[in-house]
Amino acid sequence: QLQLVESGGGSVQAGGSLRLSCAPSRRTTYTMAWFRQAPGKEREGVAMIDAGDLNTNYADAVKGRFTISRDNAKNTVYLQMNSLKPEDTAMYYCAAHKRLLTWYERRSWGYWGQGTQVTVAS
């Protein structure tokens, strides 16, 4: 089993920034990702990053504003979120172990964290 612990969420004004962190319970070479889920909506993929070549993918809604990265030495994955908008308000989840090709679908991932809340005020 792999535990994922997210941190860094909070409340900010529109236009502000936050950095989320995800710490796996052991070293892993899994592809990692961030998802988010707003009340009444489906969980959606935000960004993913491979372990070896650090290839990344982003949802269109966050391209140019969010950056996913990983520090393999610290065994931590980050999501830098800039120019935040009220529509970015959601619970953000870390995911690991991509089992299917469609990275942006919830069913593609094997492990999940408990989530960290991000609230953006207008």
Side-chain angles (χ1 to χ4, degrees):
Q1 282 292 336
L2 182 70
Q3 312 298 323
L4 303 173
V5 179
E6 303 99 333
S7 61
S11 298
V12 296
Q13 295 290 318
S17 299
L18 284 172
R19 188 177 79 157
L20 306 183
S21 299
C22 173
S25 56
R26 57 173 170 80
R27 292 203 173 274
T28 176
T29 57
Y30 288 146
T31 295
M32 305 281 290
W34 286 97
F35 277 68
R36 67 185 182 186
Q37 188 167 16
K41 294 189 176 181
E42 296 290 320
R43 191 171 298 188
E44 60 178 4
V46 174
M48 62 143 276
I49 185 166
D50 287 330
D53 59 11
L54 302 183
N55 179 57
T56 58
N57 280 298
Y58 294 92
D60 288 343
V62 306
K63 281 181 181 177
R65 299 189 298 123
F66 290 11
T67 302
I68 188 170
S69 62
R70 69 191 294 164
D71 185 333
N72 289 328
K74 294 183 178 180
N75 198 39
T76 302
V77 175
Y78 303 98
L79 184 68
Q80 178 66 44
M81 305 185 295
N82 298 328
S83 302
L84 282 161
K85 304 176 181 179
E87 51 262 45
D88 294 318
T89 295
M91 185 72 78
Y92 282 71
Y93 297 90
C94 181
H97 191 195
K98 187 170 75 72
R99 303 172 297 185
L100 302 174
L101 291 176
T102 50
W103 73 268
Y104 47 85
E105 292 185 349
R106 181 176 184 171
R107 66 190 180 102
S108 297
W109 297 84
Y111 298 105
W112 293 91
Q114 294 299 306
T116 185
Q117 178 68 38
V118 172
T119 302
V120 184
S122 58

